[in-house]
């Protein structure tokens, strides 16, 4: 057995806290510390500073929607039925910090007069401008096979990071608690980012255990919502089915109106809103787990914050992922199942968007205000992250990012088929969002979703980076590797390449080479994993790769570019 990481054995981490602490919401003189337990506890606090003499008492809340079901990977056997799991979240604000001076801290939880203590880590407040920072750019972990290997190589290569920027798809099913905390395969979200993972990879008969990296105990985490942070209708038999079955808000509202007298005879607005949410989609667990900066219209679903020299804007730009199948009995992104045509309650309504970003939407108007703000204008580095790709060779850029247009076909007064079209000229990201960002001088747009690495640059100099080949890949669509697309409206669907015009950039240091000896402008591999680091002292974004077939091999820097100022 080969241990590629030199982290201590997992047995050293078998204490009763459900997670190590992690850092949120750094300000000039404070930072928040968050951790989780499976007991309510009598008291929870942070000890920090010299000799750990200072104390900050935590506020405790209970996660309201986390559950397990028959598909949960746990040591204890949960019944096939979905049932709630009791998990408590503790958050304390550490105050009186001095900028750029890290201090030690640890957390403690008391239950029945027994105190459980974490290891000691370091925290710091928001860094001052001009301080050299190293930011991990990572995405789409989803408990995938190479995620812990990836993160273990991050800490071996970079040592201590200053922050993590993460544009979505943290887990697979966001209400399944074990995916966040203790999935049996050893690659759950928090263990992987805290060096407590235990994922075994087998390559060429050699088994290697990767622990992930001790990262977010020391570096604040900033996230964006991806499609895997969104749960669908709550009345489904399993958590995966619930995740896969969201409805557009307006459709759920129409169904509510049809049954309002029965559902809500007292016309209580809270009952109405809860019913619509439970029968459409929600991001409740994501919002309960994290404490992120807030906007006045989007709460923490989209926000902006200053971190050192960086003005980071995190947007809610994602839609439901649906299968591209065109088979008659199957529904998906392009059509409804022929078996459900008489039952609109069981339609999927295409690959619908969760939060509008089109010109005139609340999020767009908020973004316009943010781009005009003094905090944005004065920032040295201007970075925007969101989940859905504006430019990629991956599969998830098709169809265009716009509202599905229903194309029903009726015969003899009966609905015979229902297809969806997505006019490319209405792609909200390309038509509305990107021109706004370009006009405001954004230097880097960072995103994920397609599980590969590729990058692009516009004529204005704005960089686009997709560095989401962390755990697995579904390939890059060039040459003979074509996307599955419908035959109608051919101009709206691209079988290969980047549909939105920009050419992918070949890595400028050590690109991979194809069978014909040509350098590849992407990495889309289930053996080679990739991570990227933004270094504010030089303004460079460096990308690294690691071949899991060679556990003892060096990490290779294969690409680097510099943000223009």
């Amino acid at each position: 057995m080969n241990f590629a990481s030199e982290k201590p054995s997992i047995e050293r981490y078998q204490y009763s806290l459900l997670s190590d602490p992690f850092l949120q919401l750094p300000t000039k003189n404070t930072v928040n510390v968050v951790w989780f337990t499976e007991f309510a506890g009598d008291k929870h606090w942070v000890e920090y500073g010299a000799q750990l003499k200072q104390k900050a008492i935590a506020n405790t809340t209970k996660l309201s929607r986390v559950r397990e079901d028959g598909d949960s990977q746990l040591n204890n056997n949960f019944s096939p039925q979905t049932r709630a799991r009791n998990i408590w979240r503790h958050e304390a604000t550490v105050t009186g910090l001095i900028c750029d001076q890290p201090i030690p801290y640890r957390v403690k939880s008391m239950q029945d007069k027994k105190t459980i203590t974490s290891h000691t880590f370091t925290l710091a407040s928001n860094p001052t401008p001009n301080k050299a920072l190293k930011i991990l750019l990572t995405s789409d972990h989803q408990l995938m096979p190479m995620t812990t290997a990836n993160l273990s190589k991050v800490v071996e290569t970079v040592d201590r990071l200053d922050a993590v920027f993460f544009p979505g798809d943290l887990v697979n099913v966001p209400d399944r608690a074990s995916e966040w905390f203790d999935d049996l395969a050893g690659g759950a979200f928090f263990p992987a980012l805290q060096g407590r993972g235990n994922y075994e990879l087998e390559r060429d008969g050699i088994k290697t255990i990767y622990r992930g990296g001790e990262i977010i105990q020391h570096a604040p985490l900033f996230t964006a919502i991806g499609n895997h942070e969104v749960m669908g209708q709550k009345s489904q038999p399993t958590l995966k089915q619930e995740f896969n079955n969201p409805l557009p808000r307006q459709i759920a509202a129409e169904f509510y109106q049809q049954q309002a007298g029965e559902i809500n005879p007292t016309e209580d607005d809270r009952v109405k809103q809860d019913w619509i949410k439970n029968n459409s989609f929600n991001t409740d667990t994501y919002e309960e787990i994290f404490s992120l900066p807030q906007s006045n219209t989007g709460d923490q679903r989209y926000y902006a914050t200053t971190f050192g020299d960086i003005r980071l804007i995190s947007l809610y730009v994602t839609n439901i992922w649906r299968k591209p199948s065109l088979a008659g009995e199957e529904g998906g992104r392009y059509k409804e199942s022929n078996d459900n045509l008489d039952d609109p309650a069981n339609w999927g309504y295409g690959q619908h968007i969760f939060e509008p970003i089109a010109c005139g939407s609340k999020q767009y108007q908020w973004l316009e205000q943010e781009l005009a703000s003094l905090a944005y204008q004065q920032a040295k580095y201007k970075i925007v992250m969101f989940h859905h790709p504006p430019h990629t060779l991956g599969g998830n850029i098709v169809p265009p990012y716009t509202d599905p247009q229903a194309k029903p076909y009726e015969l003899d007064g009966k609905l015979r088929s229902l297809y969806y079209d997505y006019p490319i000229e209405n792609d909200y990201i390309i038509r509305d969002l990107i021109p706004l960002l370009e006009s405001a001088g954004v230097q880097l747009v960072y995103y994920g979703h397609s599980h590969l690495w590729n990058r692009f640059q516009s004529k204005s100099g704005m960089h686009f980076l997709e560095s989401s080949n962390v755990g697995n890949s579904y390939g890059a669509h060039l040459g003979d590797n074509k996307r599955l697309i419908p035959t109608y409206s051919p101009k709206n669907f691209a079988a290969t390449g980047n549909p939105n015009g920009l050419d992918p950039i070949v890595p400028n240091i050590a690109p991979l080479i194809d069978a014909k000896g040509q350098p590849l402008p992407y990495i889309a591999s289930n053996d080679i994993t990739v991570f990227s680091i933004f270094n504010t002292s030089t303004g460079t974004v460096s990308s690294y790769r690691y071949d899991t077939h060679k556990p003892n091999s060096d990490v290779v820097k294969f690409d680097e570019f510099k943000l223009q100022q």
Side-chain angles (χ1 to χ4, degrees), residues 23-27 29-33 92-95 97 123-125 220:
L23 303 180
Q24 299 272 262
L25 283 178
T27 71
N29 302 114
T30 71
V31 70
N32 287 15
V33 179
T93 300
V94 174
T95 62
L97 301 177
L123 57 77
S125 59

Side-chain angles (χ1 to χ4, degrees), residues 172-236:
N172 286 306
V173 179
D175 281 6
R176 182 176 287 133
S178 51
E179 294 197 13
W180 294 100
F181 301 109
D182 52 5
D183 183 271
L184 189 60
F189 177 79
F190 283 108
L193 276 164
Q194 295 181 327
R196 300 187 300 109
N198 189 35
Y199 202 100
E200 181 181 278
L201 276 184
E202 183 172 354
R203 296 286 190 265
D204 304 322
I206 299 173
K207 295 179 179 180
T208 306
I209 292 177
Y210 295 94
R211 308 297 189 193
E214 186 179 298
I215 298 172
I216 59 174
Q217 297 98 320
H218 308 272
L221 173 65
F222 299 93
T223 59
I225 295 174
N227 55 298
H228 281 273
E229 278 66 69
V230 186
M231 286 295 287
Q233 301 176 71
K234 197 172 182 181
S235 58
Q236 303 299 310

Side-chain angles (χ1 to χ4, degrees), residues 91-310:
E91 180 173 22
T93 300
V94 174
T95 62
L97 301 177
I98 300 173
C99 291
D100 304 332
Q101 293 189 17
I103 61 171
Y105 80 98
R106 65 187 179 192
V107 302
K108 290 189 174 183
S109 290
M110 180 179 290
Q111 170 81 349
D112 298 328
K113 297 183 179 181
K114 180 181 179 180
T115 300
I116 302 100
T117 306
S118 76
H119 287 194
T120 299
F121 308 106
T122 57
L123 57 77
S125 59
N126 206 328
T128 56
N130 299 317
K131 178 176 172 56
L133 305 174
K134 293 180 181 179
I135 313 294
L136 172 63
L137 307 178
T138 187
S139 184
D140 296 78
H141 287 189
Q142 297 179 248
L143 291 82
M144 294 298 185
M146 294 190 295
T147 301
T148 52
N150 181 286
L151 296 172
S152 70
K153 295 302 172 180
V154 168
V155 296
E156 289 178 20
T157 304
V158 184
D159 190 24
R160 190 55 50 85
L161 292 153
D162 296 288
V164 178
F165 294 174
F166 198 131
D169 283 7
L170 288 70
V171 295
N172 286 306
V173 179
D175 281 6
R176 182 176 287 133
S178 51
E179 294 197 13
W180 294 100
F181 301 109
D182 52 5
D183 183 271
L184 189 60
F189 177 79
F190 283 108
L193 276 164
Q194 295 181 327
R196 300 187 300 109
N198 189 35
Y199 202 100
E200 181 181 278
L201 276 184
E202 183 172 354
R203 296 286 190 265
D204 304 322
I206 299 173
K207 295 179 179 180
T208 306
I209 292 177
Y210 295 94
R211 308 297 189 193
E214 186 179 298
I215 298 172
I216 59 174
Q217 297 98 320
H218 308 272
L221 173 65
F222 299 93
T223 59
I225 295 174
N227 55 298
H228 281 273
E229 278 66 69
V230 186
M231 286 295 287
Q233 301 176 71
K234 197 172 182 181
S235 58
Q236 303 299 310
T238 69
L239 291 173
K240 186 175 182 180
Q241 287 172 301
E242 183 177 323
F243 164 75
N244 280 323
N245 283 281
L247 280 183
R249 281 272 198 268
Q250 66 270 24
I251 299 297
E254 291 172 9
F255 288 152
Y256 170 83
Q257 287 301 132
Q258 295 170 10
Q259 312 167 65
E262 180 181 346
I263 297 169
N264 189 13
T266 62
E267 299 183 351
D268 186 324
D269 187 63
R270 184 171 180 178
V271 171
K272 174 183 177 180
Q273 298 306 324
D274 284 348
W275 191 95
I276 291 173
K277 180 174 71 172
N278 288 333
N279 288 275
S280 56
F281 60 87
N282 73 87
T283 54
D284 286 5
T285 293
Y286 168 85
E287 293 182 67
E288 290 176 359
I289 284 177
F290 298 105
S291 290
L292 298 165
Q294 298 210 2
S295 60
N296 56 2
T297 58
D299 297 324
Q300 61 180 27
R301 294 187 298 277
Y302 52 87
Y303 60 87
T305 190
T306 297
F307 188 77
D309 282 325
I310 303 168

